[in-house]
Amino acid sequence: MFSSEFLLSMIVFLPALWAIPLIWFDGQNKESMRYWTVLGTALTFVLSLQLWYSFDPSQAEMQHLFRYEWIPAWNVNFALGVDGISLPLVVLTGLVSLLAALASWSIDKHVKGYMMLFLLLETGMMGVFLSVDFFLFYVFWEVMLLPMYFLIGVWGGPRREYAAIKFFLYTLAGGVLMLIAMLMFYFNSFGPNGEGTFDLIELARIAAGKGTAVRFSESLQLAAFIMLFIGFAIKLPSFPFHTWLPDAHVEAPTPISMILAGVLLKMGGYGIIRIAMPLCPYGAQYAAYFLVALGVFSIIYGAFAAMAQTDFKRLVAYSSVSHMGYVLLGLAVWKISEGKTAGADYWAMGINAAMFQMIAHGISSTGMFFMVGVLYDRVHHRDLNKFGGIAQLMPEYAGLAAVIFFAGLGLPGLCGFVGEIFSVLSCWNFDPTLAIIAASGVILTAGYILWTMQRVYLGPEYKGPHPEGITPFTAREKTVAYTLVVLAVLLGVFPNYLFSRMDKSISGMVQSMSHTYDTHHGAGANMETTQVR
Amino acid sequence: MDPQSTGELLRNLLTVAWLLPLAGFVAEIYWLRWSHRLSKTAAYCAVACIGLGFICSASALITWGVATRGAAFSDAHGGHESGHHAEQHHEEHEPQLGAAEGEKVAAADPHNHDNDKKHDHKNDEHKDAHAATEHAGMPKAFSGTFYRLAKFGALNVSLDWYIDSLTLVMFTMVTFIATCIHLFAIGYMKDELTEEYEDHEVHTSHGHFTRPGRFHRFFSYLSLFCFSMLGLVLAGNIFQVFIFWELVGVSSYLLIGFYIERKSASTAANKAFIMNRVGDFGFLIGLMILWTWCGTFQFADVDHDPGLFTMIRGNDGKIDVSEDGKQVYLRDAHGHRLESNGKPSTIGYLLLIAAGCGIFAGCIGKSAQFPLQTWLPDAMEGPTPVSALVHSATMVAAGVYLAARFYPVFTPEVLLVIAYVGCITLFVAATIALVVTDIKRVLAYSTISQLGYMMLAIGVAGWGAGLFHLVTHAFFKSLMFLCSGSVIAGCHHVQEMPRMGGLRRKMPITAYTMLIGVVAISGLAIPVLNIGLSGFYSKDEIVASAMAYSNANRVHFLLFLTPLVTAGITAFYMFRLWFLTFYGEPRDQHVYDHCHESPRIMTTPLIALSILAASCAWGWGTSGTGNEGPLFKLIAFSETVPSTEAVTLNGLTIPSHQGHHSDVHAVHGKAGLLALIAAFTGAIFAYLMYGSRVINPAEIRRQLPGVYDFLLDKWRFDVLYDAMFVRPVHIVSAWCADFDKKVLDAILHASASVTVLVARWDRLFDETMVDGIVNMVGSVTRSIGYSLRVVQTGRLRQYVMWIAVGVVVLFGVLFTSLPK
Amino acid sequence: MGSVGLEEYLIVGAVLFVCGIVCMATKRNAIGVLMGVELVLNGANINFVAFSRYTPLGLDGQATALFVVVLAAAEAAVALAIALNYYNNHLTIDVDRGNELQG
């Protein structure tokens, strides 16, 4: 229907363009600005759906790929493209943004500024997922950071400045590490007669040593991987870089929490898959055990920490830490035995599961934050010990919330199950001990989620303040809730719909990386005569 | 009918039966959208769904019977006695297999599914000359795929179906019992048909608690449960079993916690779910091992890819252990050793044991076996129909079902574990049941104990016996639960037996149907004639299997002794229940006066169930009763690894079960007699203590206070678990949260403070050092200027003087310093 | 006694110069100071003329002296104008009474 250039560029820039007319809106007419924003995000979502349907799942390569010169002096291109790894995340971003826009009715302060920042944020997120150029990726990464800072810092809760600065500094620190790694790659990609490049595909080719004059040395890969990993692990977030998350979530307004949990955390996982691993296969393999162990530890640690919380939002935030641990676990189950990749199918399964878990978490966690927000809008507190009996007062809400929470718990038939179980299943091939520890997460997860549901929804009566504020579900809230619930069920029942889109790209990546490792760094490396720079 | 179309027909029938309750669930959960709170239509919808499901399942069973020419009902063992013959038949099936696979209806025949009738039976009326050739092509199990869940390279996960006679029996049993219970529940739950349901057990700050009735919600949950349970039975791979395993778990959670306003109910629901998850943790480990080493979850072979059963057991039912006993060779679809990259594929023997124990851990959780048994008594917080359906007849039996279904993967060591777990469970639960006074909890402990029997049976290789007991138990236990529900409804929610007594005069139907159940579970029979109710036969079978096993393995004599003693205990506590409730004089006049028989909608299911509880093991004019009756034959027909001869592996002997010369058959009479004596002893003691009151139970209680308290505290498991797990978890979680706050955040804050401190120093340095130097240059220049201005007097003559002096000095310097 | 040589010219020039300097340094009257200046200039002029004998052309010293005479005339005119202004401002021509140039 559209040309690739137009489609991808519009997905990225439509929200930002959409924000411009908001300048001339009447500041008092809040309704119209809200509807305008919803319309913009809806259009973006429709475009992302168009992308989904025009995507050919039988190809492993980047599709709709195009490049325009941007800064020729440094060989920086404006390059966008989509493959099976970024596609689901683009659609997820479109969806979560739309739902978050629908959930933004509770924002009453400086609506114009909020909406503009919100749309700008969406542009940043889309850009991150669609960039094929490292420099561009970095730019969008930082573009997304600033609106988020203001959205938390201006429209947040009582400790918003603290939370916003914490978020900003953490992410910025990660960004700086990423910048260093980026420059390392750039200056090491100078061929004998060529020039350096920021192009991710080209860099991955160099890393894989496929017909290129230069190769990244092992020490370079290792150093770069560590820096990139820390940068992305902050975003993921993984223990011990996670403490910004609870604060940011607790202070952020509901729609921003939804975006934060639904999309922003995925950037960490996406960065690892898209950049850290293909660009430093050796580093990724070298650190694999550590990564898996960290993932497993995050799962358990997040679950334990969640159990001790009394703030509803904090609990959900820690559950995110736990759930994103599965992502890290799944990504890194790259087993080497006797210098060769062993059980590549299990690794591909792990990455698939990690990707699925990201999408599933995007739905379940967004839903959980939304459900918490619905309650918060009514009673203006989040103390778990001062709830109870909500199911009596708002039965439909409680039912939908239960589905979403069960999705988070990993109940089969709902989306959370598939990602969790497949990543855990893929882990035994890598290391049985870690697999067993990871599997024990199912008990803890059940524990804290059920206990929470008991304290909030069950029981005879509501015990907290503002009981008069509890009003039935509105139509707008229902729309958001049902969308999420239906998606959770569909993905849980037909996971192959998603897997089939991702599998080609992922298995292509797995093959290329394991081939690289086996020939250049593993047992086959001795026969390799290529000069390593 | 040819096998392929039979398979498709069976699949279609069972799929309809499986999916109908799901449709019912969706409709019922939104019932208020198109109906009102006081209408019973939601219940009718649920009944219609499950009733149709029953019709479909029954039709499927009949289809199966017709397709196998009744062989399945009457002659299960025939083929197994002639092993060689079976091998030949297997070869013959291969072409047919190939023909079917394109249609996704692959015949699963891991073993000799030879049904022809070599063996003679006296009463075999269905035997005819053609049968042998006719259903030689009828496979023992049908299997196929619904749709794919995921595919990663060679790894494939899908939703499959696997239908053999066990599946069909389970389907029919579950749907039948569920239909009865749905009907019963219409009467039992009618209190919910109100806008203002007052719950006397809940107190709020405003006094009594009232809420709108949740009649439709109850039935929607029941439908969800039926869907999940049937899915579990239909599942064609272990992963799918896990999926539905969890779904029945969540249905159970919803049903136990149906009275969401009661703290005890929601806590019990949480406990049930979490304890099941503990078992599922083991299940998951089992899944991981099998997934990693076998690369498939399938039960049956798909096309030419072997399923788990074939991989482990090959076509001859034997585990192919390597010389050193450390590895087990996996087999391909033809029974040969599976190879990958030129090396034979193996799985470590210890790993296989671990996988088996892991899967069994899931069964422990679901079937409330030791050490995870404590959730089931608490689950009695749910409404009684739930207890009857979920927590006695179906879901808790799913653990046994899975242990049976997965039997081929279990090594003898795993079976021994299963046997001992069952053995401990059946004893522990039975002893607790002796002292419990809540009518439902007695039944709950009895359920645990009976499930222990089933597990024991499977563990001692009494595969058919365990499943036989599963089915008979499902009938009589659901019957007894419904009876207790009828009593509870009649007595207006009184559950304590000491407040009852003499109720048989007020509610005769309930009392006598209950008596049928009690007699059935106790295993009483008419001596010599050996005619009894269903429980008699199945328990007989179990005890015989246990005896054969302990004869073969003398060390494990407890495996026989415990069930034997417990048979007596069972009879005792069941009769105690009946006598306390229905016999004698009323002990609480108020309860007695207001008590009434239940309406017909509740008593009809009781009668229907009591007929089956009494008679399901009888022969009905076929080959015989008990282990020669149609039900047992039907179940045993699908045994995947039939033990035709005693097998010894690693010092454990599995006795032979099949036919008239087997080890089990040899001890059958003796074992049956011993069990019967035990049962009678128990029943007589119960009569003496609670019927005729010759012995005063209070006296015994006084003499053994320690034992009594210990039993009343349920062997103190709850206390133990609380101290061992619940509190440590809370402590660790508090640590984690504190670690975040006090360590990670503290580090962050400290680094922030350090940064601020450095910034302060920096400012100080800037202001003093850098600025200081610049300022000093300025001020020095200035002060020099100040000091020099003194010379600038403004006096002309003085300037002239300076000029003169300056010139003189200049000359002086020039003349002295310059060389000539 | 021989002819008058360079030395004598230089002595006269130096005496004139010193007289001028002393006159400038001692006279408080501005006109006196001006006179001292004339003496100094003419002392220098004698030196110019005397040295001009030793240059190849023999004229440049005399030209410079002429130049200085013209300059001295112009300077005297300007200085007398300053003195007149000084008198207008201070009602005296005593140079010690004016210290506006003090720093």
Side-chain angles (χ1 to χ4, degrees), chain B residues 708-788:
Chain B
Y708 178 76
D709 286 345
F710 183 63
L711 292 181
L712 208 59
D713 269 0
K714 311 160 206 164
W715 289 52
R716 311 232 160 89
F717 276 111
D718 281 337
V719 185
L720 182 72
Y721 290 166
D722 199 48
M724 270 176 67
F725 303 111
V726 180
R727 264 181 246 157
V729 163
H730 281 291
I731 290 169
V732 172
S733 67
W735 282 350
C736 284
D738 275 1
F739 185 77
D740 258 22
K741 273 213 191 85
K742 297 193 178 141
V743 178
L744 288 181
D745 270 5
I747 290 173
L748 193 73
H749 292 163
S751 63
S753 321
V754 167
T755 315
V756 171
L757 207 65
V758 169
R760 290 233 178 86
W761 285 345
D762 191 46
R763 176 179 165 183
L764 214 64
F765 180 81
D766 243 29
E767 286 174 358
T768 52
M769 298 299 288
V770 181
D771 282 3
I773 289 170
V774 176
N775 288 347
M776 203 170 70
V777 171
S779 60
V780 164
T781 316
R782 193 184 169 89
S783 59
I784 291 174
Y786 266 110
S787 58
L788 282 180

Side-chain angles (χ1 to χ4, degrees), chain A residues 3 60 79 124 136 176 308 314 389 399 436 462 518 522:
Chain A
S3 70
L136 192 64
V176 168
R314 253 190 129 72
I436 291 173
Y462 173 68
D518 293 352

Side-chain angles (χ1 to χ4, degrees), chain A residues 4-229:
Chain A
S4 299
E5 286 89 342
F6 181 76
L7 185 59
L8 293 188
S9 307
M10 276 319 269
I11 289 177
V12 174
F13 291 114
L14 180 71
L17 295 176
W18 207 256
I20 295 170
L22 275 172
I23 298 170
W24 295 286
F25 271 64
D26 176 12
Q28 296 310 307
N29 197 350
K30 293 172 182 168
E31 273 311 274
S32 63
M33 288 189 286
R34 287 170 185 149
Y35 280 114
W36 178 255
T37 311
V38 168
L39 191 63
T41 49
L43 276 176
T44 317
F45 179 52
V46 169
L47 286 174
S48 70
L49 283 183
Q50 164 71 23
L51 185 65
W52 173 272
Y53 287 111
S54 63
F55 183 82
D56 176 10
S58 62
Q59 277 185 36
E61 284 77 38
M62 279 279 174
Q63 300 181 25
H64 299 293
L65 181 64
F66 67 88
R67 293 187 178 90
Y68 286 109
E69 248 182 20
W70 183 22
I71 310 176
W74 299 336
N75 198 13
V76 175
N77 289 320
F78 178 77
L80 299 182
V82 65
D83 69 354
I85 297 170
S86 51
L87 176 72
L89 290 166
V90 169
V91 179
L92 179 78
T93 307
L95 175 73
V96 172
S97 300
L98 173 58
L99 295 181
L102 280 172
S104 292
W105 255 252
S106 53
I107 303 292
D108 215 40
K109 192 172 83 174
H110 311 309
V111 178
K112 185 186 278 185
Y114 172 87
M115 294 300 173
M116 290 175 78
L117 288 170
F118 183 92
L119 288 166
L120 189 61
L121 177 67
E122 191 180 2
T123 287
M125 298 188 295
M126 286 294 193
V128 166
F129 289 131
L130 287 173
S131 304
V132 183
D133 192 279
F134 205 164
F135 197 89
L136 192 64
F137 179 93
Y138 181 76
V139 168
F140 278 122
W141 183 277
E142 301 291 323
V143 161
M144 160 221 78
L145 183 57
L146 216 60
M148 203 63 191
Y149 170 75
F150 285 115
L151 286 169
I152 298 174
V154 177
W155 287 271
R159 292 177 74 221
R160 52 180 179 256
E161 286 94 352
Y162 172 76
I165 288 176
K166 206 171 176 183
F167 164 80
F168 191 84
L169 288 183
Y170 256 111
T171 317
L172 202 65
V176 168
L177 291 177
M178 191 162 81
L179 182 66
I180 299 171
M182 178 169 91
L183 296 178
M184 279 167 72
F185 284 122
Y186 176 71
F187 288 112
N188 279 286
S189 63
F190 279 96
N193 46 11
E195 52 184 344
T197 178
F198 284 110
D199 195 287
L200 287 174
I201 301 174
E202 188 58 31
L203 287 174
R205 263 163 47 97
I206 296 174
K210 278 184 191 156
T212 47
V214 284
R215 278 234 323 275
F216 298 138
S217 70
E218 294 183 353
S219 55
L220 166 73
Q221 289 195 20
L222 205 55
F225 186 80
I226 291 169
M227 281 190 274
L228 287 173
F229 175 72

Side-chain angles (χ1 to χ4, degrees), chain B residues 333-394:
Chain B
H334 303 289
H336 308 302
R337 284 183 181 173
L338 195 64
E339 292 194 342
S340 68
N341 302 331
K343 279 187 280 188
S345 308
T346 58
I347 175 172
Y349 193 74
L350 279 175
L351 271 177
L352 194 58
I353 294 179
C357 287
I359 301 286
F360 179 62
C363 304
I364 288 179
K366 192 94 344 189
S367 288
Q369 298 293 293
F370 171 83
L372 298 179
Q373 79 283 36
T374 60
W375 68 268
L376 187 58
D378 290 10
M380 296 299 128
E381 287 290 338
T384 310
V386 174
S387 313
L389 180 62
V390 182
H391 303 120
S392 74
T394 53

Side-chain angles (χ1 to χ4, degrees), chain A residues 289-440:
Chain A
Y289 190 87
F290 174 74
L291 259 58
V292 174
L294 196 62
V296 170
F297 188 76
S298 291
I299 295 172
I300 303 296
Y301 185 88
F304 269 122
M307 206 176 290
Q309 302 304 323
T310 51
D311 185 306
F312 205 169
K313 252 186 160 177
R314 253 190 129 72
L315 179 135
V316 179
Y318 274 107
S319 86
S320 286
V321 175
S322 179
H323 284 133
M324 294 310 279
Y326 288 100
V327 174
L328 195 51
L329 162 71
L331 287 180
V333 289
W334 183 2
K335 160 112 162 182
I336 296 290
S337 97
E338 293 162 8
K340 283 189 106 57
T341 303
D345 282 348
Y346 290 98
W347 183 30
M349 175 178 173
I351 297 183
N352 264 304
M355 280 300 299
F356 197 98
Q357 174 72 359
M358 288 208 263
I359 305 296
H361 179 261
I363 290 166
S364 68
S365 185
T366 305
M368 283 198 255
F369 278 114
F370 175 71
M371 294 299 177
V372 178
V374 167
L375 269 188
Y376 184 76
D377 288 346
R378 283 165 174 70
V379 299
H380 304 291
H381 79 94
R382 292 184 304 261
D383 189 342
L384 281 171
N385 295 321
K386 290 186 186 160
F387 281 110
I390 299 296
Q392 313 278 1
L393 301 163
M394 304 168 68
E396 188 167 9
Y397 159 73
L400 294 172
V403 176
I404 290 291
F405 276 90
F406 273 120
L409 180 151
L411 188 77
L414 299 172
C415 57
F417 170 73
V418 183
E420 282 181 25
I421 191 119
F422 282 165
S423 60
V424 172
L425 283 176
S426 67
C427 186
W428 185 281
N429 179 54
F430 183 76
D431 187 278
T433 320
L434 291 176
I436 291 173
I437 301 172
S440 71

